Amino acid sequence: MAVTLAQLRAFEQIVRLGSFHAAARHLGVTQPSISQRIRELEAELGVALFTRNGPRVMMTADGQALVEYATRTLGAADDMVTRFRSRDPLLGVLRIGVTETFALICLPDLVSRLEERHSQLTISVTVGDAGMISTLLNNHQLDLGVVTQPDVGSHIHQLPVGQIELGWVAGPEVRLPQAPLTPVQLATRHLIGSPESARLYATMMNWFAAGGAVPSRVSTCNSLSVTIRMVLASLAIGLLPIRVVAAELERGAAVRVPVTIPVDAHRVSLCYQVADFGPSLQSVVDVTQELIVEHRLFRSPIL
């Protein structure tokens, strides 16, 4: 036997109303039924929750300790029912998945603005590559995602928000020729990029293939921020979203590597569950779009 919501609800009402009889009347059940629920709850927990004095009851120390647990558990159960009956993700935990580019530049502002507008909202953020975020969306494990070239089903709406510019970037101590590098020339350098499962890795390898080259030394890292630090330390040349290193490029802490073949930009979409869409989710979409524009995160939107 396990603790049930019915047992906790009976306990809660006895505490609130002061008697088994009043709790039974409020819940629309018989008093013996309420007594049975409390006996089962006490047996499961191995403690006495009440002392009886005629029709009135008093909580034991263990009963006092249970009040907070019962309140939290029943509150969470009520929130769960409200969330799924209303189909409103802002009435529970809003589950957001974003790329690391978005996380590094926009995520703090997004959380701050959502906090201003929905002070009781709880947010769960997943930062990952496009494949991970797409899978979580497809499995209904995210309400909304900012995804690079998403691979999602028809139950996910895709709202194009722009293109992310990619380029080869090196640290200031890396010696580079004056002329743009061909893929064959760059293939001899130490490179660093995303793991093989990531879209960015495929883009890198396709770029070399288009130039008739195969890179000889490619290190990988699953963290964009760590990859950037490796590049800034002049340890390797990286294929990076230009927006996340714009400040470093401007102050000379990094160098854009000129190449003969441009790297294809990645299209980015704001994706969300069609079944959950309504005014609440629309407000989150609006805030996210505002931040993308304000931070100039992507190039012009795709029409």
Side-chain angles (χ1 to χ4, degrees):
M1 185 186 298
V3 172
T4 67
L5 292 178
Q7 293 165 0
L8 291 177
R9 191 74 71 188
F11 172 78
E12 175 197 48
Q13 291 303 316
I14 295 169
V15 171
R16 187 173 71 86
L17 298 175
S19 73
F20 281 56
H21 177 73
R25 187 171 61 249
H26 179 81
L27 293 174
V29 297
T30 65
Q31 184 168 328
S33 178
I34 287 291
S35 298
Q36 178 65 25
R37 292 179 190 181
I38 296 302
R39 283 196 298 270
E40 291 172 351
L41 180 58
E42 290 177 325
E44 182 67 24
L45 298 178
V47 298
L49 299 174
F50 299 103
T51 57
R52 282 86 169 168
N53 183 15
R56 306 297 297 178
V57 294
M58 293 183 61
M59 277 190 292
T60 64
D62 288 318
Q64 293 282 358
L66 181 61
V67 170
E68 182 180 351
Y69 291 104
T71 300
R72 286 207 309 263
T73 301
L74 292 170
D78 290 342
D79 289 345
M80 177 182 66
V81 172
T82 300
R83 160 66 177 87
F84 288 100
R85 284 182 177 173
S86 68
R87 307 298 300 180
D88 186 348
L90 300 193
L91 293 179
V93 177
L94 178 66
R95 304 163 302 169
I96 301 176
V98 296
T99 63
E100 199 165 357
T101 298
F102 182 93
L104 289 171
I105 296 173
C106 294
L107 186 57
D109 284 344
L110 176 61
V111 174
S112 176
R113 293 194 187 182
L114 290 176
E115 173 70 18
E116 290 174 3
R117 303 181 188 193
H118 309 280
S119 59
Q120 300 303 311
L121 180 63
T122 300
I123 302 173
S124 173
V125 178
T126 299
V127 179
D129 61 31
M132 175 192 292
I133 301 302
S134 293
T135 298
L136 292 174
L137 283 164
N138 284 331
N139 292 339
H140 302 274
Q141 292 173 281
L142 292 174
D143 301 302
L144 179 142
V146 179
V147 194
T148 303
Q149 298 181 202
D151 180 13
V152 292
S154 58
H155 62 290
I156 305 296
H157 181 77
Q158 300 183 48
L159 177 64
V161 291
Q163 302 177 75
I164 186 163
E165 181 183 6
L166 303 171
W168 292 102
V169 179
E173 297 178 12
V174 175
R175 293 186 177 182
L176 298 169
Q178 295 296 320
L181 292 173
T182 65
V184 172
Q185 292 171 318
L186 189 58
T188 63
R189 302 294 189 106
H190 181 199
L191 308 173
I192 187 167
S194 300
E196 294 184 19
S197 60
R199 299 269 195 276
L200 194 55
Y201 184 90
T203 298
M204 177 176 66
M205 299 309 292
N206 290 339
W207 183 83
F208 279 109
V214 177
S216 59
R217 187 184 178 198
V218 179
S219 297
T220 60
C221 178
N222 69 345
S223 168
L224 179 59
S225 56
V226 174
T227 299
I228 292 170
R229 293 185 64 180
M230 299 281 282
V231 170
L232 297 181
S234 301
L235 297 174
I237 296 174
L239 182 61
L240 302 173
I242 294 302
R243 178 62 182 86
V244 297
V245 290
E248 288 77 9
L249 291 170
E250 186 174 347
R251 69 171 186 265
V255 179
R256 180 88 178 257
V257 179
V259 290
T260 56
I261 302 175
V263 181
D264 292 337
H266 283 178
R267 62 181 176 85
V268 184
S269 294
L270 186 55
C271 300
Y272 53 82
Q273 302 287 340
V274 173
D276 287 344
F277 190 74
S280 294
L281 197 54
Q282 178 68 65
S283 69
V284 180
V285 170
D286 291 343
V287 171
T288 306
Q289 287 184 291
E290 289 170 9
L291 290 170
I292 287 172
V293 173
E294 288 177 20
H295 287 280
R296 293 176 293 175
L297 188 59
F298 306 124
R299 294 196 317 208
S300 59
I302 303 169
L303 301 178

